[in-house]
Every structure is written in C-alpha cells, then in structure tokens.
Amino acid sequence: PFDVLVVGGGPGGAAAAIYAARKGIRTGIVAERFGGQVLDTLGIENFISIQHTEGPKLAAQLEAHVKDYEVDVMNVQEAAELIPGGATGLHEVKLKSGASVKGKTVILSTGARWRQMGVPGEAEYRNKGVAYCPHCDGPLFKGKRVAVIGGGNSGVEAAIDLAGLVAHVTLIEFDSQLRADAVLQTKLRSLPNVTIITSALTIEVLGNGEKVVGLRYRDRNKDDEHLVELEGIFVQIGLIPNTEWLGDVLALSDRGEIEVDARGATSQPGIFAAGDVTTVPYKQIVIAMGEGSKASLSAFDHLIRSGG
Ligand code: FAD
C-alpha cells in the first residue's frame, strides 16, 4: 500500500504528491486526466511569480515536477469508489478498470467542472470570448462589453467585479428575479454600466469564426428573441464538484463539496482533501496548490501519529 494515495492530478493533487514524496514516503497518484482544468485554460496570468504561462505548458510542468520524484503516477485511471479504513486501517480506492489501490492515508483532489449553458457556439468560442472565471479572464476584457450568465451569488459577484474593469456588463438571468443575496443586488443596481435582464434564456453564442461578437436570448415572457452585441460572455451557472463517485462516505456540503477543516481533514480520519473539490472558497490554481501542500503535510502528520 501507499503511505499517501492522491486521487486527482490537477494543481492540488500534483502539489500533494510532491510534498508527500519529498518526505521519502510511498506516494501514488491516480488521475483521470493529469493536469485537470489547467489543460482547458489558455493564458494564465495570476500564477504568482510567472507573468504569463499557458495551460498545457503548466500541466506538462506539473507532471514533470511530480515525475522528478518517486511517485507512482496512474494516469487515465478513474476512481469509482472510496472505502474508508478508519483511523488506523487501510483506505481502499476502487478504480473503474476493476483494479484497486490502497493507502494508509488518502488525499482527494478531484476538482470541479463549470456547468455549461449547452447552447450552439459555447464550446466553439470557449477561450475565444466565452469564459468561466472572472478572477482569471476579467482583465482580458478591459474596456469591452461582456455578459454574465446567471443571477445567483457568483453571477452577481462576477458582474460587480467586471463592471469595474469593462465598458459594460449585461447580466442575464433565466428566472424572473435575481437569486443573489440582497446586499449584492443592491450593489449591482447602483452601478451605472450594468444592465440586468431577467426571464431570459440564452440560446446562442455568436462569433465571427475567430471570436465572440454577441449572444442571442429569448425573452421568456414575450417569447421573442433579442441580440446583444458584445466581446465576452462569463458563464456563472454553477461549479460542480467531482464528488459523485464518493456517495455518502464523507461529509459533503449542500453543494456537494467535501467539507474540510483548516488542515484539509475530512470527516473520515486519515482521509484529506484539497482544491476545487472542497468547501475552501475561491477556486484558483495557487489556492489549490497551497491546499494540496497543506493536506499532504497533514497526511504526513497523521502517519507519524498513527505509527504508520
Ligand atoms: P482540477 O484542476 O479540476 O483537477 C482535478 C483532477 O482530478 C484532474 O486530474 C481530473 O482528471 C481528476 N479527477 C476527477 N475525477 C476523478 C476520478 N473520479 N478519478 C480520478 N481522477 C479524477 N485558475 C487560476 O488560478 N488562473 C487562471 O487563469 C484560471 N483559468 C481557468 C480557465 C478555465 C477555462 C478553467 C476551467 C479554470 C481556470 N482556473 C484558473 C481554475 C483552476 O484551473 C482550478 O482552480 C484548478 O485547476 C483546481 O485544481 P484542482 O487540483 O483542485 O482540480
């Protein structure tokens, strides 16, 4: 068995594996797709100390750094079930392939995925005007016109954030009213360069072959269609944690995120979690790496204390 078994090969899992391996303990990492969301990212400009990098390049560097150490990398392997072993027993992770791997401690860093609108043009213009992360891509739209899709807390927060950077924000909500906290709605309505459209269903992302030029939505009350000309669309209709495979073996939040304490410990002794899959707020690369490192040090501490 491994001393530390990491599930997930994004920035969180890579950091966890490196920190464990540097303690000289047996470390394994299972990943469905090494690199995680970073693989889907174009420019990255907030990875502190690196002014600019690109997703596939950073993903390759993550893998190279992990492979500098004696880490057993099991790539293109999907975890299908977690069977906790209690405070001193072995935890088992069953893979979809039918194989099974065991660890004295486990670190879960299976990340999350942005909910997509599922309309024509969305996938085609991803990273060409269609964006999901205002903290990441907001500055790219400085002085331009953007829409935010979704009037929940994340959508309204994104619209307030972007209004300070871009020329104009159109917030589009499917429901007849915004669902964000009242204080956020008040702030949003006080901004001069924001238009709020409710009861609207986005039906198409329009582009010129190279980048986004607009979107079409249907007014659900009048049942007619409208066109908004713009350069960017931020989709904020939910971030879904990859926890379906865990069933109910760990305490999850009502959004399905793994509940962790300040050390990355979950509700099961010896099982830790890090990154976008957890309740830790703000889903970012540097945060996932910090949390992965922390969870790994916590796992090491657990091993020392449990005589492992
Ligand atoms: P992830 O990166 O999601 O990695 C999860 C890993 O777990 C993957 O290897 C996945 O294959 C694996 N996995 C999932 N389920 C299973 C399973 N059942 N079994 C085995 N493995 C599994 N952040 C920034 O800081 N700056 C940016 O500029 C930026 N831009 C972004 C642009 C886009 C388009 C997107 C989608 C995200 C962006 N982010 C950015 C967010 C950032 O990518 C994430 O916060 C970060 O990747 C989270 O790391 P993680 O390790 O927690 O999870």
Side-chain angles (χ1 to χ4, degrees):
F2 293 105
D3 290 312
V4 174
L5 174 61
V6 180
V7 185
I18 291 168
Y19 265 72
R22 286 172 59 81
K23 295 291 184 192
I25 55 180
R26 277 159 299 172
T27 305
I29 181 167
V30 173
E32 194 185 335
R33 194 171 67 124
F34 204 98
Q37 291 171 72
V38 170
L39 283 175
D40 303 325
T41 306
L42 222 54
I44 298 168
E45 301 188 341
N46 58 2
F47 186 52
I48 307 308
S49 83
I50 307 287
Q51 289 97 324
H52 178 92
T53 186
E54 297 197 338
K57 185 175 168 197
L58 179 58
Q61 287 172 318
L62 287 177
E63 192 163 358
H65 197 175
V66 167
K67 287 183 171 166
D68 264 356
Y69 295 93
E70 269 185 51
V71 176
D72 191 343
V73 179
M74 293 158 271
N75 197 4
V76 205
Q77 291 291 336
E78 190 178 339
E81 191 183 351
L82 171 68
I83 304 167
T88 51
L90 284 178
H91 311 289
E92 182 177 0
V93 174
K94 288 191 170 170
L95 306 182
K96 213 172 176 181
S97 66
S100 144
V101 270
K102 292 188 174 139
K104 292 179 183 169
T105 63
V106 171
I107 298 173
L108 303 168
S109 54
T110 47
R113 56 194 191 271
W114 293 99
R115 193 188 298 276
Q116 322 236 319
M117 296 184 288
V119 301
E122 180 180 23
E124 193 182 344
Y125 289 103
R126 184 176 196 162
N127 289 326
K128 295 172 183 168
V130 176
Y132 297 84
C133 176
H135 311 302
C136 313
D137 296 338
L140 301 176
F141 296 91
K142 199 173 173 194
K144 298 187 172 154
R145 298 162 299 178
V146 304
V148 172
I149 312 299
N153 279 337
S154 50
V156 172
E157 277 173 14
I160 293 168
D161 173 2
L162 290 164
L165 286 168
V166 305
H168 188 266
V169 180
T170 305
L171 183 108
I172 296 186
E173 163 60 39
F174 177 80
D175 209 344
S176 58
Q177 55 188 16
L178 303 184
R179 290 161 292 120
D181 297 342
V183 48
L184 293 173
Q185 293 195 37
T186 305
K187 172 76 187 168
L188 183 72
R189 290 182 208 283
S190 75
L191 299 172
N193 60 339
V194 175
T195 306
I196 300 168
I197 303 175
T198 53
S199 300
L201 173 66
T202 308
I203 50 181
E204 189 177 2
V205 172
L206 302 167
N208 62 6
E210 280 179 10
K211 51 186 174 47
V212 166
V213 297
L215 68 75
R216 265 190 323 123
Y217 73 88
R218 181 176 301 127
D219 181 329
R220 297 173 60 231
N221 294 328
K222 296 187 191 129
D223 205 28
D224 54 4
E225 290 182 6
H226 300 265
L227 178 92
V228 184
E229 290 181 8
L230 42 69
E231 288 76 40
I233 301 171
F234 284 83
V235 183
Q236 296 289 303
I237 53 178
L239 185 66
I240 310 162
N242 297 320
T243 51
E244 292 90 346
W245 66 283
L246 291 170
D248 56 7
V249 301
L250 296 176
L252 305 179
S253 71
D254 53 9
R255 291 184 188 181
E257 296 165 329
I258 301 172
E259 303 234 19
V260 288
D261 69 10
R263 295 175 163 266
T266 70
S267 58
Q268 289 282 351
I271 300 181
F272 301 84
D276 282 16
V277 76
T278 70
T279 46
V280 168
Y282 310 118
K283 315 302 190 193
Q284 295 283 281
I285 295 166
V286 287
I287 293 175
M289 285 185 176
E291 293 292 315
S293 311
K294 198 165 63 171
S296 197
L297 294 174
S298 298
F300 184 66
D301 192 52
H302 178 88
L303 286 169
I304 297 173
R305 288 167 194 267
S306 58

